[in-house]
């Protein structure tokens, strides 16, 4: 009952061009049937994410560990709430990040859980920068 | 089913079979000669009601499966086509969907009855545990069945519930992938759910056979909780129990038919009339009502794993009930304290159900936690404690003694129930008009509301004109074919008129022999063409918001009725949230934005739209569409006409539904009456 060959093949890596995404904007792409948020973060959002003491977080993880070095403005996360799998809404909630309408979990501008029932941060999918304006997810 | 039977059929052919397979003897000893306690009350008829519902679900389900397509792109459409095109498909679908709710309603009554009268106590522990297994199987079956129509609530319900398993440490993620057959809920998930949804009812039927077998070995419990001691304590199953069960079933059918024919969508969720969309989460995900208490328990615990464990324990704890409650007196009738706690427990369950449907914030979370503690306390503290400290009242020596002593009490409780129902109904009549909220759509008088409602043909024809000239520029109507315009219960056009109407449209067809697509005039069998080739095109042309298809819009939109309206709605058959909302939105545009509301660029203020910022500009203005029949050409009239038309597109067989409903009700009332008097006659000597 595990995924069949065609499902696995359709889950191959995809490339995404980042150049059309302006600062402060984000896009949602689908990979393996999952929505992936790619946010072009503002300076303010990055600073907010880095100002928080890591130890105070429910799922401690530094912002640096969640983005690629040298590409600090780009946040790439799987847009699936770690509670029960709903899709959080970007640019909502009290932490300049994501808000899940189902059970009220709130994530910050680094996609880290700050408030609500979700146990973990939004997952970062495997990805790498192919060039400065292009990433490969998967 | 207990022991060999001495039954001897008189017919030689039956005798021949009986010698080789004693099946008639088995039937005779189980359902004819079987001694049943003579003091059983009507709560005991729910066993028969449940068997009937299981049969009904399997029968309607098998026929529905002949027309259903378990494929992610087609499932939603195939369900709509069942409702629209299959002969009596609307009836089958309503019977099956409402049937699931009725099945659960009956099983809850059945379980509470067992709880109250101590039917789980020695020697009926295995019987009780088999019942809990049936209940668990029912929950799994019901959940998977709800996924099959592949609407928004189906999809997101499936996502939330399958994600529960990801809470299991280490292996959780792999289990979820195994359930999905992919990386998210998708077509493979739908396929396996369909397969399992078809399989499990037969597993349930198998466990029901074990349940009945165990029942017939241990014998039925009864309201006094004393075992039958002599012949005088029992009556033969047939005709006594059979006729009583038949009367119970026919009364239950009245309730069932009330939902099937007059409020088929009362128990469902409007969001499930929107096709599944993996990119959009509905703002408020709620399971079907029968899972709500457990959903409330899940949500009241802030830790994910602990929440899942609590939810499953809430059900599994029932298995341990025979040992948690060790009191020797079975029936709560003779346990003054247990009786009170039982009713408190019922209230706790109902309140948990109410909380499960509320958004998880503020006071609801706190109340949910308190009630979750109460739920578990009943099993883990109250029952074990009561069985040690409570002094029960003396139980009667035998069933016949208690039957002779009672009398008149039943009449009193029936009177109380009638008074309560009457008070509710009166309250409904008085308050139904008082529902004037600020942002709540105002109620309208619709020709199609109520048990005898029919569509206003003139309004349907005018509404079609408004749709064609205004709405059709952006909104599709993809489930409606031109032939439907000439069908009974519709706008009342002739077949020739519908064909002429169709021929005004250009329909894309092909490929032809040269391999090219071409356009041809529409035929009656064609469906209304959509204004945009695909969703993306619709999105781009409309500032990022794709205009929804209007075929089902009056069923796919609703607004929160809230307590106590949803109770009154049951009696008044109020089903017009959707039309009221659509009509309100069409008239809710205002130039002046009230203070405190910010409307983003490219959106418009609408009083009734959730969030008030709608991407659709004001679609209707006075005099925009000309009417031939002299009706006023005002926005209010346009809104009313087009909403009536869209109610028809959402349910073209509504008139047939209400007409058949009346016939069924007349029949059922007569049948139930007949059964009642037959039962009185049969039982005349036994009371």
């Amino acid at each position: 009952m595990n995924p069949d060959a065609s499902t696995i093949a359709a889950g191959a890596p995809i490339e995404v061009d980042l150049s059309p995404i302006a600062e402060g904007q984000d896009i949602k792409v689908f990979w393996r049937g999952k929505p992936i948020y790619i946010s072009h973060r503002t300076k303010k959002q990055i600073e907010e994410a880095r100002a928080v003491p890591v130890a105070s977080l429910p799922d401690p993880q530094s912002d640096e560990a969640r983005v690629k070095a040298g590409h600090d403005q780009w946040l790439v996360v799987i847009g699936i709430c770690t509670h029960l799998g709903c899709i959080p809404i970007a640019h909502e909630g009290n932490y300049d990040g994501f808000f899940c309408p189902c059970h009220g979990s709130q994530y910050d501008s680094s996609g880290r859980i700050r408030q609500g029932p979700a146990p973990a941060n939004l997952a970062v999918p495997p990805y790498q920068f192919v060039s400065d304006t292009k990433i490969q997810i998967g | 089913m207990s022991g060999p039977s001495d039954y001897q059929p008189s017919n030689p052919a039956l005798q021949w079979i009986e010698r080789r397979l004693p099946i008639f003897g088995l039937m005779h000893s189980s359902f004819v000669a079987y001694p049943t306690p003579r003091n059983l009350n009507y709560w005991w008829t729910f066993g028969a009601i449940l068997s009937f519902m299981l049969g009904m679900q399997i029968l309607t389900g098998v026929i529905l499966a002949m027309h259903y397509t378990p494929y992610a792109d087609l499932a939603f459409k195939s369900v709509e086509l069942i409702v629209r095109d299959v002969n009596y498909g609307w009836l089958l679908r309503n019977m099956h969907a409402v049937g699931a709710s009725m099945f659960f309603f009956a099983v809850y009554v059945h379980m509470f009855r067992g709880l109250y009268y101590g039917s789980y106590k020695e020697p009926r522990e295995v019987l009780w545990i088999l019942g809990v297994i049936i209940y668990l199987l029912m929950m799994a079956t019901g959940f998977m069945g709800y996924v099959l129509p592949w609407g928004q609530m189906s999809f997101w319900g499936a996502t939330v519930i399958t994600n529960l398993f990801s809470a299991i440490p280490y292996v959780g993620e792999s289990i979820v992938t195994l359930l999905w057959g992919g990386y998210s809920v998708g077509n493979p998930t739908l396929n396996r759910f369909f397969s399992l949804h078809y399989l499990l009812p037969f597993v349930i039927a198998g466990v029901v056979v074990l349940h009945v077998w165990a029942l017939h070995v241990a014998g039925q419990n009864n309201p006094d909780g004393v075992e039958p001691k002599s012949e005088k304590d029992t009556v033969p199953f047939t005709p006594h129990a059979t006729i009583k069960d038949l009367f119970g079933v026919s009364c239950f059918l009245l309730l069932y038919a009330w939902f099937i024919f007059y409020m088929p969508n009362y128990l469902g969720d409007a969001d499930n009339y929107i096709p599944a969309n993996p990119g959009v989460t509905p703002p408020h995900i709620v399971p079907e009502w029968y899972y709500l208490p457990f959903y409330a328990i899940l949500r009241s615990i802030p830790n994910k794993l602990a929440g899942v464990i609590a939810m499953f324990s809430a059900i599994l704890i029932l298995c341990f009930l025979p040992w948690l409650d060790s009191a020797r007196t079975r029936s709560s009738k003779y346990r003054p304290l247990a009786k009170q706690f039982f009713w408190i427990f019922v209230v706790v369950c109902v309140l948990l159900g109410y909380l499960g449907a509320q958004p998880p914030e503020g006071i609801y979370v706190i109340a949910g936690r308190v009630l979750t503690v109460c739920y578990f306390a009943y099993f883990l503290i109250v029952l074990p404690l009561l069985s040690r400290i409570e002094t029960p009242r003396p139980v009667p020596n035998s069933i016949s003694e208690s039957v002779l002593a009672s009398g008149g009490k039943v009449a009193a409780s029936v009177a109380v129930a009638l008074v309560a129902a009457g008070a509710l109904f009166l309250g409904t009549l008085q308050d139904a008009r008082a529902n004037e909220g600020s942002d709540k759509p105002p109620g309208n008088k619709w020709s199609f509301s109520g048990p005898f409602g029919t569509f206003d043909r003139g309004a349907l024809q005018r509404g079609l004109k408004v749709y064609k000239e205004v709405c059709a520029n952006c909104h599709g109507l993809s489930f409606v074919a031109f032939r439907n315009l000439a069908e009974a219960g519709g706008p009342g056009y002739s077949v020739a008129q519908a064909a002429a109407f169709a021929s005004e449209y250009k329909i894309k067809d092909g490929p032809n022999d040269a391999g090219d697509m071409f356009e041809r005039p529409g035929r009656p069998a064609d469906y209304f063409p959509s204004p945009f080739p695909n969703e993306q095109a619709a999105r781009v042309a409309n500032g990022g918001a794709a205009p929804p298809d209007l075929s089902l819009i009056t069923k796919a939109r609703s607004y929160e009725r809230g307590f106590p309206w949803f109770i009154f709605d049951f009696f008044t058959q109020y089903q017009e949230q959707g039309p009221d909302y659509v009509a309100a939105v069409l008239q809710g545009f205002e130039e002046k934005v009230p203070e405190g509301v910010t409307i983003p660029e490219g959106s418009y203020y609408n009083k009734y739209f959730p969030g008030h910022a709608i991407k659709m500009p004001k679609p209707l203005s006075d005099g925009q569409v000309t009417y031939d029949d002299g009706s006023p050409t005002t926005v209010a009239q346009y809104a009313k006409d087009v909403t009536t038309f869209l109610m028809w597109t959402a349910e073209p067989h509504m008139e047939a539904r209400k007409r058949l409903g009346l016939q069924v009700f007349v029949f059922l009332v007569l049948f139930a009456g007949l059964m009642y008097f037959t039962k009185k006659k049969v039982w005349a000597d036994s009371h």
Side-chain angles (χ1 to χ4, degrees):
Chain A
M1 300 226 299
N2 261 324
D4 63 17
S6 71
T7 310
I8 293 168
I14 54 163
E15 285 195 349
V16 183
D17 182 14
L18 303 180
S19 49
I21 313 169
E23 195 175 286
Q25 276 194 333
D26 53 86
I27 60 164
K28 190 162 72 173
V29 296
F30 275 88
W31 176 64
R32 294 190 163 181
K34 292 173 179 156
I36 301 206
Y37 279 111
I38 305 174
S39 305
H40 193 167
R41 302 187 293 176
T42 60
K43 281 242 155 52
K44 182 169 156 279
Q45 282 181 307
I46 301 172
E47 278 162 20
E48 275 173 1
R50 302 203 164 168
V52 191
V54 171
S56 71
L57 296 169
D59 181 13
Q61 213 177 7
S62 72
D63 183 55
E64 286 84 349
R66 296 177 52 80
V67 296
K68 302 282 180 208
H71 301 282
D72 301 300
Q73 71 273 41
W74 296 105
L75 175 74
V76 183
V77 287
I78 298 180
I80 292 182
C81 182
T82 52
H83 182 224
L84 292 171
C86 301
I87 298 180
I89 302 163
H91 299 301
E92 272 198 29
N94 299 333
Y95 300 94
D96 216 357
F98 304 85
F99 170 75
C100 180
C102 292
H103 302 101
S105 295
Q106 304 201 17
Y107 301 88
D108 65 10
S109 55
S110 187
R112 292 173 300 195
I113 180 66
R114 298 292 285 272
Q115 196 185 320
N121 302 332
L122 290 180
V124 177
Y127 74 99
Q128 68 232 16
F129 277 85
V130 185
S131 72
D132 269 354
T133 59
K134 194 177 256 186
I135 58 170
Q136 186 192 49
I137 300 173
Chain B
M1 287 190 189
S2 42
S5 160
D6 49 8
Y7 173 70
Q8 269 307 321
S10 48
N11 185 309
L14 297 186
Q15 278 172 4
W16 187 88
I17 299 175
E18 186 68 11
R19 273 201 304 279
R20 285 150 185 86
L21 177 72
I23 187 159
F24 301 110
L26 181 71
M27 289 295 145
H28 186 265
S29 63
S30 303
F31 301 110
V32 179
Y34 178 71
T36 170
R38 56 186 281 195
N39 60 338
L40 296 187
N41 56 28
Y42 277 104
W43 299 116
W44 261 265
T45 57
F46 277 84
I49 288 169
L50 283 163
S51 317
F52 170 80
M53 284 313 302
L54 177 63
M56 195 59 128
Q57 289 301 86
I58 290 180
L59 184 71
T60 51
V62 166
I63 301 173
L64 283 172
M66 295 174 186
H67 301 282
Y68 170 77
T69 315
Y71 181 69
D73 294 345
L74 299 172
F76 186 87
K77 192 174 179 187
S78 77
V79 171
E80 269 313 306
L81 294 184
I82 287 173
V83 171
R84 284 154 198 270
D85 290 342
V86 173
N87 297 320
Y88 289 99
W90 59 269
L91 179 60
L92 284 170
R93 202 242 167 150
N94 287 353
M95 283 169 81
H96 198 72
V98 174
S101 281
M102 290 292 108
F103 202 172
F104 273 98
F105 170 70
V107 93
Y108 284 135
V109 174
H110 194 64
M111 288 163 75
F112 277 126
R113 189 269 284 151
L115 213 55
Y116 184 83
Y117 292 113
S119 299
Y120 46 84
K121 289 174 193 255
E122 199 273 323
R124 299 186 181 84
E125 297 95 329
V126 172
L127 172 63
W128 173 262
I129 291 169
L130 284 168
V132 177
I133 292 171
I134 294 173
Y135 175 55
L136 275 172
L137 286 169
M138 275 175 67
M139 290 185 107
T141 313
F143 159 65
M144 288 193 237
Y146 192 58
V147 173
L148 300 183
W150 211 239
Q152 272 290 67
M153 235 7 121
S154 303
F155 183 90
W156 289 100
T159 303
V160 167
I161 301 298
T162 48
N163 263 313
L164 291 179
F165 293 92
S166 72
I168 303 168
Y170 308 113
V171 291
E173 294 295 332
S174 336
I175 290 179
V176 174
T177 307
L178 209 67
L179 287 172
W180 287 340
Y183 303 109
S184 54
V185 173
N187 191 50
T189 323
L190 178 61
N191 264 299
R192 60 195 56 188
F193 278 20
F194 178 58
S195 165
L196 292 174
H197 183 70
Y198 206 107
L199 167 71
L200 286 184
F202 297 98
V203 178
I204 293 179
V207 184
V208 165
V209 170
L210 296 180
H211 191 67
V212 173
W213 185 10
L215 173 74
H216 285 204
V217 169
Q220 282 165 292
N221 186 26
N222 59 73
D224 291 302
V226 288
E227 296 295 331
K229 295 197 176 83
S230 64
E231 287 267 310
K232 275 196 293 182
D233 290 345
T234 60
V235 286
F237 192 89
T238 300
H240 292 78
T242 4
I243 198 74
K244 194 171 179 178
D245 284 347
L246 260 176
F247 175 61
V249 169
S250 46
C251 287
F252 189 78
L253 275 175
L254 279 167
L255 176 71
Y256 185 20
W258 181 269
F259 282 110
I260 294 175
F261 294 105
Y262 295 123
M263 30 201 354
N265 295 312
Y266 178 76
L267 297 164
D269 196 299
D271 274 324
N272 224 26
Y273 279 107
I274 305 170
N277 182 347
V280 180
T281 318
H284 191 46
I285 296 182
V286 271
E288 290 286 79
W289 69 266
Y290 34 84
Y291 304 127
L292 287 174
F294 302 105
Y295 195 58
I297 290 174
L298 168 77
R299 293 195 308 186
S300 65
I301 292 178
N303 179 291
K304 183 175 169 181
L305 179 59
V308 173
I309 291 174
M311 188 183 75
F312 282 108
S313 330
I315 303 165
L316 292 176
I317 201 167
L318 291 170
C319 288
F320 301 97
L321 195 55
W323 296 278
L324 288 170
D325 174 15
S326 54
R328 295 188 59 84
T329 309
R330 285 207 193 95
S331 172
S332 294
K333 217 168 141 182
Y334 302 103
R335 299 179 62 190
L337 289 174
K339 187 194 260 176
Q340 289 171 29
F341 278 107
F342 168 81
W343 287 110
I344 294 173
F345 177 69
V346 172
V347 172
V348 166
C349 290
V350 171
L351 286 178
L352 274 173
Y354 176 73
L355 289 176
Q358 303 309 314
E361 53 199 24
I363 180 79
Y364 295 132
V365 177
I366 298 157
R369 285 180 190 157
V370 172
L371 290 173
T372 301
V373 170
C374 292
Y375 181 95
F376 284 104
Y378 178 74
F379 292 108
L380 296 175
I381 301 171
V382 174
L383 285 180
L385 202 65
L386 279 186
S387 48
R388 281 168 185 79
I389 62 164
E390 188 184 33
T391 343
R393 296 200 287 121
V395 296
N397 288 324
S398 72
I399 291 174
S400 46
E401 186 188 300
S402 104
V403 170
L404 291 174
S406 76
K409 270 187 122 182
V410 176
S413 57
V414 168
V416 167
L418 278 178
V419 167
L424 254 179
F425 188 70
L426 279 181
T428 314
L429 291 179
Q430 279 168 6
D431 298 332
R433 299 267 163 258
N435 186 23
E436 298 292 333
S438 54
D439 285 351
K440 294 232 165 152
N444 291 281
K445 217 174 149 31
W446 299 106
S447 62
F448 49 80
S449 65
F452 307 105
T454 52
F455 289 115
D456 174 354
R457 310 273 165 240
L460 285 182
Q461 299 191 355
R462 293 192 298 270
L464 171 62
K465 193 156 193 266
V466 175
Y467 168 75
K468 192 186 170 190
E469 291 180 18
V470 185
C471 316
N473 292 320
C474 301
H475 293 278
L477 201 61
S478 51
F479 291 124
V480 182
F482 297 119
R483 66 186 156 83
N484 296 137
L485 296 174
E487 280 165 12
Y493 287 113
S494 67
V495 174
Q497 278 172 316
F501 187 89
S503 64
E504 291 169 24
Y505 282 86
K506 290 267 170 288
I507 304 292
K508 200 165 192 175
D509 202 347
N512 60 13
D513 291 345
D516 301 321
M517 303 300 282
F518 61 93
E519 284 196 336
R520 59 164 175 77
R523 298 175 194 140
D526 289 322
Y527 287 80
F528 274 84
S530 293
F532 300 102
N534 53 53
E535 200 195 313
Q536 282 76 0
R539 203 173 282 286
V540 165
N542 289 283
D549 190 276
L550 293 185
S551 317
L552 284 165
I553 202 81
T554 50
K555 281 203 201 166
R557 296 290 181 274
S558 185
Y559 61 91
E560 192 66 37
R561 290 288 284 170
F563 181 80
W565 300 111
F566 71 87
I567 298 176
F568 297 153
D569 290 347
F570 170 79
F571 295 100
T572 55
Q573 300 189 346
Y574 178 78
Q575 283 269 284
E576 282 76 38
Q577 289 106 309
D580 281 344
Y581 170 79
V582 171
V585 162
L586 287 173
Q587 300 170 73
F589 288 89
E590 280 168 26
E591 289 290 324
K592 231 177 99 219
V593 178
E595 260 177 66
V597 182
T598 48
I599 300 298
E601 187 112 352
S603 295
Y604 304 87
Y605 175 78
N606 188 306
K607 193 174 168 200
Y608 300 108
F609 192 74
H612 300 302
I614 190 168
K615 281 275 184 186
M616 173 171 76
K618 188 172 186 286
L620 296 166
S621 46
D622 290 345
Q624 191 178 359
V625 181
T626 54
Y627 279 161
D628 308 328
D629 62 356
S631 299
T633 53
T634 57
V635 170
Q637 185 67 32
Y638 292 150
K640 198 159 185 203
D641 290 343
V642 83
T643 307
T644 306
F645 173 68
L646 291 176
M647 187 63 216
W648 170 73
T649 62
E651 197 182 350
H653 297 302
M654 189 210 74
E655 290 188 5
R657 161 163 74 83
K658 291 184 174 175
R659 198 167 48 238
L660 186 61
L662 184 66
Q663 295 165 1
V664 167
F665 258 90
V666 170
F667 172 79
L668 279 179
V669 168
L670 289 178
F671 185 74
L674 221 74
M675 285 302 116
Y676 178 71
F677 289 111
T678 318
K679 184 244 154 196
K680 273 198 95 153
K681 184 102 183 107
V682 167
W683 281 79
D685 302 332
S686 311
H687 270 315

